[in-house]
Amino acid sequence: MLDKASYSTQPKCLVALDSIIFGFDGDLLKILLVKRSPDQHIDTWSLMGGWLNPNENLEQSAERILFELTGLKGVYLEQLYTFGDIDRDPIDRTVSVAYFALINIEHYDSNISQAHHAHWFPVSEMPNELLFDHRQMIDSAIQKLRYKAALHPLGFELLPEKFTIPQLQKLYEAIFQTTFDKRNFSRKILSTHLLVKLKEKQKSSKKGAYLYAVNKEKYNTFGNSFLNFVSNPDF
């Protein structure tokens, strides 16, 4: 039997939300970390996070926290996993629901970075020591990102609105930490018909590479389809 009295006798548990925020600067895949620590005398790098409010569901809380810490709304945000080891937080019993987000670094508010002592780290050059189990969260998020990017077109979320095929290839090479054959990559990407070739060319390119944009209608239609961008990825 369910009654209010039985609920009130149960031990309470805190619920935190931690965000693994990925960005791409045109060369490297990066992750956003902030300085915080349970010890006021020690600075430890950690993921951005916050607490679940009683009047919010998980998605609403994750979106609010992401906005408060980046100034961005409407970005790609996906629930990753729930981390609930008993001793994961030495201060109090806390369950963390982790999300990973993909943002365009160009749109990120650098003023918020300064306020929260945030810093972009290349995924291959992150600090050795991270708060609690945040390293485990990041490793899980990288694996999930690779899986999703191999089969779905979500990599476009990390690019500016206009980009070249070489820029797109560089992004996928950064995600998978490997190199792709230029011709095969271009052929495979263009065969999806998700890109619209623009009349503009990249000014900084010696040969003036053409710029492309995502076909929004097809992207929304095929966003959850299995397109196999990368064959046999190493997950």
Side-chain angles (χ1 to χ4, degrees), residues 9 42 74 172 196 214:
T9 60
I42 300 174
Y172 273 79
V196 177
V214 177

Side-chain angles (χ1 to χ4, degrees), residues 203-219:
K203 295 180 181 179
S204 60
S205 172
K206 292 182 180 180
K207 295 183 179 180
Y210 277 102
L211 293 168
Y212 288 79
V214 177
N215 184 317
K216 297 292 185 180
E217 184 178 347
K218 288 189 177 180
Y219 178 77

